[in-house]
Amino acid sequence: MNLEKYDVLIFDCDGVIFDTTNLKLSAFQNVLKEYDKKYIKQFTDYFRSNFGRSRFLHARYFIENILNEPFQQKKYDKIISNFSKECKTIYDTAELCEGVIDFLQNNPKLDKYVASGSAQDELRDVFDKRGINSYFISIYGSPRLKNDLVNDICSKYSHNNILMIGDAEADFKAAKLAGIDFLYVSRYSVDDDNMKKISKIENFKSIIDLSELV
């Protein structure tokens, strides 16, 4: 993968910067443990295929499409609150993905952003605590949609010089809608089989982790 043509890199967070994909899957399962196992299984399958999207969308989907109930604010707020508590614990202890620090240190001239489905306030807090916020011009997250975040970043630059780095279909779709290149990081993905199928059709490049770019 030749990075020389790019001036700007947009990173997803979970599975690209922090090794948190499976931890977040387990966290959501734990949050929903009061529900029937069949609903948790349905949500797990859905979550794997929609990783990278906002927790706010996931919680609403669980209520309306898996439980098949009218939207209930109290139930929704409980899911969001409990998942947010789980995420705080996850980010405080999560390992950085392989090759991340070396890659960031070796590419100081590239403008770097984060556009994630994770909550923006949580991301900015953990990036600061873990001492890696200075590598990025800005760190963006939900509740705004990833597509909108990527488009906002792209509006500042020539699209030909931007690369989106992610591990999920939501990342690829955001890049495609913005008209920019996409690089798939496979090591930590919870939807690898699907991403490989998409790559055969869309012909985007893939790497195992960022150590391949160091």
Side-chain angles (χ1 to χ4, degrees), residues 42-145:
Q42 289 176 41
F43 180 82
T44 298
D45 293 340
Y46 154 81
F47 188 76
R48 288 183 181 277
S49 299
N50 291 273
F51 197 89
R53 302 180 72 197
S54 163
R55 70 191 61 176
F56 306 102
L57 297 176
H58 293 321
R60 181 178 286 273
Y61 184 91
F62 178 74
I63 295 168
E64 296 180 343
N65 298 87
I66 293 181
L67 297 181
N68 289 316
E69 297 175 355
F71 179 78
Q72 301 172 50
Q73 190 68 48
K74 185 176 180 180
K75 186 173 289 187
Y76 171 87
D77 289 343
K78 181 179 179 182
I79 293 172
I80 293 297
S81 176
N82 289 341
F83 185 68
S84 296
K85 292 175 184 176
E86 294 267 351
C87 285
K88 186 179 187 307
T89 301
I90 287 171
Y91 279 129
D92 283 345
T93 58
E95 297 288 335
L96 288 163
C97 293
E98 187 71 28
V100 167
I101 294 300
D102 286 342
F103 178 80
L104 294 174
Q105 290 177 342
N106 290 347
N107 293 278
K109 294 182 180 180
L110 293 172
D111 285 357
K112 293 177 281 292
Y113 294 83
V114 172
S116 172
S118 296
Q120 182 169 285
D121 56 346
E122 288 176 8
L123 289 178
R124 291 181 173 179
D125 182 59
V126 73
F127 274 61
D128 181 54
K129 286 181 178 178
R130 303 294 289 270
I132 59 173
N133 58 323
S134 61
Y135 291 110
F136 301 93
I137 291 178
S138 197
I139 298 161
Y140 299 117
S142 63
R144 293 192 65 211
L145 297 177

